[in-house]
Amino acid sequence: MRPTRPRGRNLAALAALTLGLALASLAPTTATAAPKPPVKAPAPAVVPQPVAQTSLSGSGFTVTAQTPVNVISSGDPDAAGVGTYLAGLLAPATGYTLPVTTTSQPAGQAIVLDPNGPADLGAEGYTLSSTGTGVTVTAHGAQGLFRGVQTLRQLLPAAIESTSVKPGPWTVAPVQISDNARYSYRGVMVDVARRYVPMPQLKRYIDQAAMYKINTLHLHLTDDQGWRIAIGALPSLTTIGASTQVGFTGGTDWYYTAAEYQEIVAYAKSRFMTVVPEIDGPGHVTSALASVPNLNCDDQPSALYTGSATGISLYCLSDSQHVANVSDFLTTVIDTVAAMTPGPYVHLGGDETPAATPAQYSAYVSAASSAVTAQGKTVMGWHQLGQSTIPANSIMQWWGGDGDRGTIGTNHENENVHFVRDAVQQNAKFVMSPSDHAYLDMKYDSSTPYGLDWQGHVSLSRAYDWDPTTSTAKLDGTGSLVPADKIAGVEAALWADRAYAGSHRPDPSTSQFPEPYAYAEHMSFPRLPAIAEIGWSPRSTHDYADFSRRLGTHGARWTAAGIEYYAAPDVPWSTPPSGNSLIGVRTLTTGGKALDVPGSSDAPDTQLNTWTAHGGNNQKWTFVEQPDGSYILVNVASGLCADVSHGSLSAGAPVIQWTCGGTTNQRWEVTPAAGGGSTLTSVGSGLLLTTASTADGALVTQQPANGSALQRWTIG
Ligand code: TNX
């Protein structure tokens, strides 16, 4: 027997887990059991975990088409907007248009949003009370109401996240909650430079992050591979600098116009999220060097860059004329960006500049930071920025990991440790993004189809298993470089150096570009909620077993919302598998020929065919049910998954085997077919698994439904 691979084991464990859950729900109850005590409803599964929560008796409050949303009058003009937002949130699944009114006299049987709570709730704290007679969220201002509304939505059934009308009933679990944020900065960074993210997808991601009380959106707007923000006085930055991204050239609209950027800022603000724009430098600047010749020492434009390397570029800072050029350039850019950014921060990057001398690096920091402070903004930067003089109150972003921590206090402390010490000496504050826990671009495990692994694999438990107060401490947790009172908060970072991989790369022969941002959802869910909980919840509630139990109920929410999450194998996902008998090892035959990996090949990208059925492992497929009820098909011989090549949406695209990732081009809906057998429809394309003929070696592709026997499979 060939050894089982880790990937195979994971999937087998997942299959066993989902099957186990299905069987448990079918287990008979014993007739002789003693009378049971009254069953208390399970504690609501809120993520991030609230500070204090008590389940109440009773059946809770049921929202109906007549339930009013009463916003209590206050001096805060944004409070009514939270009421409207809540009604909008509940509308798609309930089909209700709840009346929103501002009033000093709430009705009974209402959802009441009261922004007149005590000042000691702070900007984000709230209390929530849900009983049979209504739900009341109380806060000190609109922002706290908004955070409380995120909790309220999690007290409703998972189907509330559905984008189409569902039957209900819409009952809010009976509970008393008192809650507040541990840290005031809880961010997520999106690398729109390596991969441009179109507006609708960025807004969708903002909504997803807001659900977990993330309050800061850091946009990594510039890097070697692309410049994504229009600067009116420097049009070449977008005509030239925005024309590339990793793996692609020729873009004409891969950037945000000033109006679009302001639209993002406004959208984020409506979700009580602050935008932090990052203009990275003095490295990560090829897109600028290609657009503005006098930033180069020879005054010639650099070539554009579409690869995935880092540490490859530097502004010319080696003579006073070029320092002046860079300074003028940065002043123009930062003035423009700051004027469009209501939030207090501009992020100056500062990472990965192997070629910079200390003097060159300082020249950059000095020019860039004076431009920021001249606009009344606060400097943020990656922790390397601390090596230079930084303005008072700057915020440094720590991205080191255990490798750096291991050198603290030894006689070979590394430069990351030095830079942090330098910044602390300058009284800087810190946002913690330890790359071995909070980097959403790290693979979960070896089967993750995208991402990097320079910090190893970051499973869900690793994403959860850290604390900001020790993330710059020695490995034994003592001697934190950053004092606890200098920690502003946490940030998850969704870099996009490898946002495409293998079959997930859009098919260049079609116009299907860009593909939906499956990368963001697969890498962020479930890890972003883990980072969000670290930023919001008290350390005393930190408990992975409890977190994963609560989070397990969110899979059904994400499925309802259409979020393509990664079903981490150690989470008890409650989305019940349908109990469908297909789970397990199966064969697929049509006309006596079986779906087959030719030659028992181990190689990814091998096109599947059909061959006389012989019972070999290369004709056996493990069906693993997915949260949406579809299946992935894992070949027993190769451990690879049946996959529509390149995620193609075109008829005739080959069906190949590829590393399992659970993305939509690997999910198949099984439907009984008229005329016998079942069709397998690709969730990604809507086209059917089809063999070319009944001859041995006939190739398998996706095709539109045509009723042919070559699309009707017997699942044995
Ligand atoms: C390092 S950590 C970078 C980014 C890459 C990332 C990939 C840091 C501030 N810079 O340029 O995208 O690793 O994981």
Side-chain angles (χ1 to χ4, degrees):
M1 222 185 99
R2 56 189 298 135
T4 320
R5 295 155 189 239
R7 172 182 50 235
R9 261 203 306 279
N10 286 345
L11 288 167
L14 180 61
L17 177 70
T18 50
L19 193 60
L21 287 173
L23 292 177
S25 64
L26 296 176
T29 47
T30 45
T32 53
K36 290 185 188 146
V39 181
K40 206 176 166 195
V46 178
V47 176
Q49 174 73 17
V51 171
Q53 167 181 304
T54 314
S55 290
L56 305 176
S57 56
S59 54
F61 176 69
T62 300
V63 178
T64 69
Q66 282 75 45
T67 302
V69 175
N70 285 165
V71 182
I72 307 299
S73 325
S74 75
D76 189 336
D78 293 335
V82 179
T84 311
Y85 165 88
L86 172 60
L89 205 63
L90 303 181
T94 61
Y96 308 154
T97 308
L98 300 184
V100 183
T101 50
T102 300
T103 171
S104 54
Q105 281 296 313
Q109 298 288 321
I111 298 174
V112 179
L113 303 180
D114 183 356
N116 302 300
D120 62 8
L121 285 170
E124 296 193 289
Y126 66 93
T127 57
L128 185 154
S129 158
S130 156
T131 67
T133 57
V135 179
T136 302
V137 182
T138 305
H140 185 66
Q143 186 178 178
L145 287 183
F146 184 83
R147 306 294 171 224
V149 160
Q150 302 311 317
T151 299
L152 170 55
R153 75 196 278 191
Q154 294 185 16
L155 300 174
L156 283 155
I160 197 67
E161 301 299 339
S162 176
T163 50
S164 58
V165 177
K166 295 287 177 253
W170 305 108
T171 303
V172 184
V175 70
Q176 176 74 44
I177 289 173
S178 164
D179 203 7
N180 214 327
R182 180 179 179 192
Y183 291 111
S184 61
Y185 185 116
R186 302 178 307 281
V188 65
M189 189 211 79
V190 183
D191 176 0
V192 297
R194 268 60 170 271
R195 176 170 178 180
Y196 171 65
V197 181
M199 293 287 285
Q201 297 177 25
L202 196 52
K203 289 181 178 173
R204 178 175 156 96
Y205 194 69
I206 289 171
D207 280 327
Q208 292 169 359
M211 205 189 298
Y212 292 94
K213 303 189 173 78
I214 294 290
N215 68 1
T216 306
L217 175 70
H218 168 180
L219 291 175
H220 183 74
L221 288 168
T222 69
D223 211 308
D224 292 306
Q225 299 88 346
W227 186 281
R228 305 283 173 236
I229 179 79
I231 305 295
L234 294 163
S236 60
L237 283 172
T238 38
T239 53
I240 298 170
S243 67
T244 43
Q245 48 185 320
V246 171
F248 293 91
T249 56
T252 53
D253 60 353
W254 294 342
Y255 65 93
Y256 307 110
T257 64
E260 285 172 334
Y261 177 78
Q262 286 166 302
E263 191 180 327
I264 296 165
V265 167
Y267 194 82
K269 183 165 180 284
S270 73
R271 272 65 178 153
F272 294 85
M273 214 181 273
T274 303
V275 171
V276 177
E278 179 183 351
I279 306 297
D280 202 353
H284 291 277
V285 292
T286 307
S287 60
L289 298 179
S291 310
V292 180
N294 77 0
L295 301 175
N296 300 271
C297 290
D298 60 3
D299 295 321
Q300 297 301 312
S302 297
L304 290 162
Y305 181 69
T306 61
S308 293
T310 56
I312 57 167
S313 61
L314 192 66
Y315 288 133
C316 181
L317 294 157
S318 45
D319 60 77
S320 57
Q321 179 58 53
H322 284 96
V323 170
N325 295 348
V326 171
S327 182
D328 287 350
F329 170 79
L330 289 171
T331 305
T332 303
V333 169
I334 290 169
D335 286 2
T336 307
V337 171
M340 299 190 290
T341 303
Y345 310 115
V346 175
H347 197 298
L348 296 177
D351 54 322
E352 297 171 327
T353 52
T357 65
Q360 290 168 349
Y361 192 90
S362 286
Y364 167 74
V365 177
S366 164
S369 60
S370 1
V372 172
T373 51
Q375 293 299 317
K377 302 290 184 191
T378 300
V379 168
M380 278 192 76
W382 299 107
H383 67 247
Q384 285 100 323
L385 221 62
Q387 68 189 281
S388 293
T389 303
I390 45 175
N393 304 316
S394 296
I395 299 193
M396 298 293 99
Q397 189 167 3
W398 166 251
W399 60 268
D402 284 1
D404 305 288
R405 294 174 55 195
T407 73
I408 299 174
T410 69
N411 56 11
H412 55 272
E413 284 192 342
N414 73 13
E415 61 174 18
N416 290 323
V417 173
H418 294 151
F419 298 153
V420 172
R421 287 197 191 284
D422 294 344
V424 169
Q425 286 234 313
Q426 300 185 70
N427 220 13
K429 293 204 185 86
F430 274 78
V431 165
M432 300 304 185
S433 301
S435 45
D436 46 5
H437 301 283
Y439 267 27
L440 299 177
D441 64 318
M442 292 299 124
K443 291 174 183 286
Y444 291 95
D445 63 27
S446 59
S447 74
T448 305
Y450 323 91
L452 298 171
D453 58 5
W454 62 269
Q455 277 292 26
H457 296 145
V458 178
S459 62
L460 176 65
S461 64
R462 198 159 175 225
Y464 188 76
D465 175 26
W466 64 285
D467 190 79
T469 59
T470 51
S471 63
T472 61
K474 288 193 247 179
L475 292 175
D476 69 2
T478 66
S480 178
L481 301 173
V482 178
D485 65 352
K486 292 292 177 192
I487 300 174
V490 305
E491 186 167 292
L494 181 65
W495 297 103
D497 314 31
R498 298 286 160 99
Y500 297 111
S503 60
H504 306 285
R505 198 181 169 95
D507 182 345
S509 68
T510 73
S511 59
Q512 295 304 322
F513 183 85
E515 66 176 1
Y517 204 20
Y519 170 73
E521 297 180 8
H522 189 80
M523 302 306 260
S524 305
F525 289 88
R527 290 182 296 197
L528 180 59
I531 307 300
E533 178 150 316
I534 289 169
W536 178 276
S537 305
R539 191 177 185 181
S540 58
T541 64
H542 194 84
D543 175 349
Y544 184 68
D546 184 63
F547 170 72
S548 54
R549 174 195 67 77
R550 282 180 282 116
L551 195 70
T553 68
H554 289 232
R557 295 179 183 278
W558 302 336
T559 299
I563 298 177
E564 291 189 28
Y565 71 98
Y566 165 68
D570 59 339
V571 174
W573 299 110
S574 71
T575 307
S578 58
N580 194 311
S581 57
L582 290 177
I583 295 168
V585 177
R586 316 226 144 243
T587 54
L588 287 141
T589 51
T590 177
K593 306 288 173 167
L595 184 68
D596 178 298
V597 176
S600 286
S601 170
D602 268 352
D605 216 12
T606 306
Q607 187 171 4
L608 308 183
N609 68 13
T610 43
W611 196 270
T612 304
H614 53 56
N617 279 348
N618 65 327
Q619 294 185 347
K620 289 186 186 155
W621 300 87
T622 305
F623 277 56
V624 182
E625 193 174 4
Q626 300 298 292
D628 61 3
S630 67
Y631 294 87
I632 59 170
L633 276 51
V634 191
N635 188 265
V636 171
S638 67
L640 301 177
C641 271
D643 174 301
V644 177
S645 181
H646 292 287
S648 172
L649 307 182
S650 310
V655 177
I656 59 169
Q657 63 174 357
W658 193 265
T659 311
C660 298
T663 44
T664 53
N665 64 327
Q666 292 186 349
R667 295 194 204 175
W668 302 91
E669 264 165 26
V670 180
T671 317
S678 298
T679 56
L680 280 84
T681 306
S682 164
V683 172
S685 66
L687 300 175
L688 271 52
L689 185 79
T690 307
T691 188
S693 73
T694 52
D696 275 345
L699 290 173
V700 175
T701 57
Q702 64 176 4
Q703 302 289 350
N706 59 18
S708 148
L710 300 172
Q711 298 182 327
R712 296 198 310 266
W713 301 86
T714 302
I715 302 175

